[in-house]
Amino acid sequence: MQLFRCPRTHGPHLERRYLLRWRWAAQTERADHFLEHPPEVPLLRWEDELPEPCVVHPEEVDTYPWAEDDTLPAALIARIDAWDDARTAEGGRDAPNYQGALSIPPGWRVGGFPSWASTGPMDITCASCRAPMRLLLTAGGDEMDPDSHSWMPLEDRDLSQQGIASIRGGQSVTEPTRLRFGRDRDLHVFTCPTDPGHPPQWVLS
């Protein structure tokens, strides 16, 4: 699967345009071919319109649903909220919490659950057949943040510090792709489980 993003904004609301392409793995080129000769690009208004050439090194992790509205049973959400409140009372605002440290990692990820930090949970249905759509990919500008205690690699974290001060390496570590989506939101790519040929949906949250 290839995800394309136009480096320019479009329309009165400065919208981004994306394109999803499915390809046979045997017919695709090696990733290092694309990194050897990056394409020439026109002068862009903002630095974060052009990605930094880099390679993704995936690792498998367990994730859990966003805890809001009916994403989980109400009684369980109440227990999670009480646990978060107790952690905050004990450790302050930098204490680990369910949403940031236990449920959904920041950054780029395949599958799992969407984060609904900006919009609240949404029902995403296919425009062609009305089937509930599945999360295929999430693209995020930051690979770590002060809440990502469980997801931050130990080599990038100063254990003697708390919050954002604990992140080592600066912007090249926290924002390796140099891309931003919306106002520092996550770009969720949803596809139809009934027919992958149906148009995907792009959700900023």
Side-chain angles (χ1 to χ4, degrees):
M1 185 274 294
Q2 286 181 289
L3 174 65
F4 296 88
R5 179 174 94 153
C6 180
R8 299 187 180 277
T9 53
H10 300 266
H13 302 294
L14 303 179
E15 297 173 354
R16 295 288 186 182
R17 291 185 180 172
Y18 302 93
L19 183 65
L20 196 67
R21 281 285 181 262
W22 294 100
R23 308 209 181 270
W24 293 105
Q27 298 174 357
T28 58
E29 300 182 70
R30 288 168 52 90
D32 53 10
H33 169 80
F34 295 99
L35 299 180
E36 287 175 2
H37 305 288
E40 295 292 331
V41 295
L43 182 65
L44 300 174
R45 182 181 297 179
W46 294 292
E47 183 183 64
D48 57 22
E49 292 174 331
L50 183 68
E52 181 73 22
C54 57
V55 178
V56 176
H57 300 280
E59 52 186 311
E60 189 173 342
V61 297
D62 292 325
T63 62
Y64 301 93
W66 189 261
E68 186 179 355
D69 294 346
D70 58 354
T71 58
L72 289 170
L76 181 55
I77 291 178
R79 290 177 59 192
I80 291 171
D81 289 342
W83 184 87
D84 281 346
D85 291 343
R87 299 287 77 72
T88 301
E90 180 181 337
R93 54 184 290 180
D94 289 328
N97 59 70
Y98 173 80
Q99 307 284 44
L102 299 178
S103 62
I104 302 172
W108 292 67
R109 51 195 181 271
V110 176
F113 300 96
S115 57
W116 299 115
S118 301
T119 63
M122 302 168 62
D123 291 325
I124 310 299
T125 56
C126 178
S128 298
C129 67
R130 308 308 300 168
M133 301 187 86
R134 292 178 182 168
L135 179 63
L136 170 71
L137 175 73
T138 298
D142 297 328
E143 286 295 312
M144 60 186 72
D145 56 53
D147 290 335
S148 60
H149 300 266
S150 298
W151 317 108
M152 191 187 304
L154 291 177
E155 61 268 24
D156 297 326
R157 184 175 180 193
D158 183 351
L159 298 178
S160 68
Q161 301 292 327
Q162 294 292 323
I164 197 168
S166 67
I167 301 175
R168 294 175 171 169
Q171 186 175 14
S172 62
V173 169
T174 59
E175 301 175 11
T177 64
R178 200 174 62 188
L179 288 175
R180 291 178 61 201
F181 300 91
R183 296 182 178 178
D184 290 326
R185 298 183 180 184
D186 285 342
L187 173 70
H188 298 307
V189 183
F190 289 88
T191 56
C192 179
T194 303
D195 186 344
H198 288 170
Q201 289 202 40
W202 321 94
V203 178
L204 281 169
S205 178

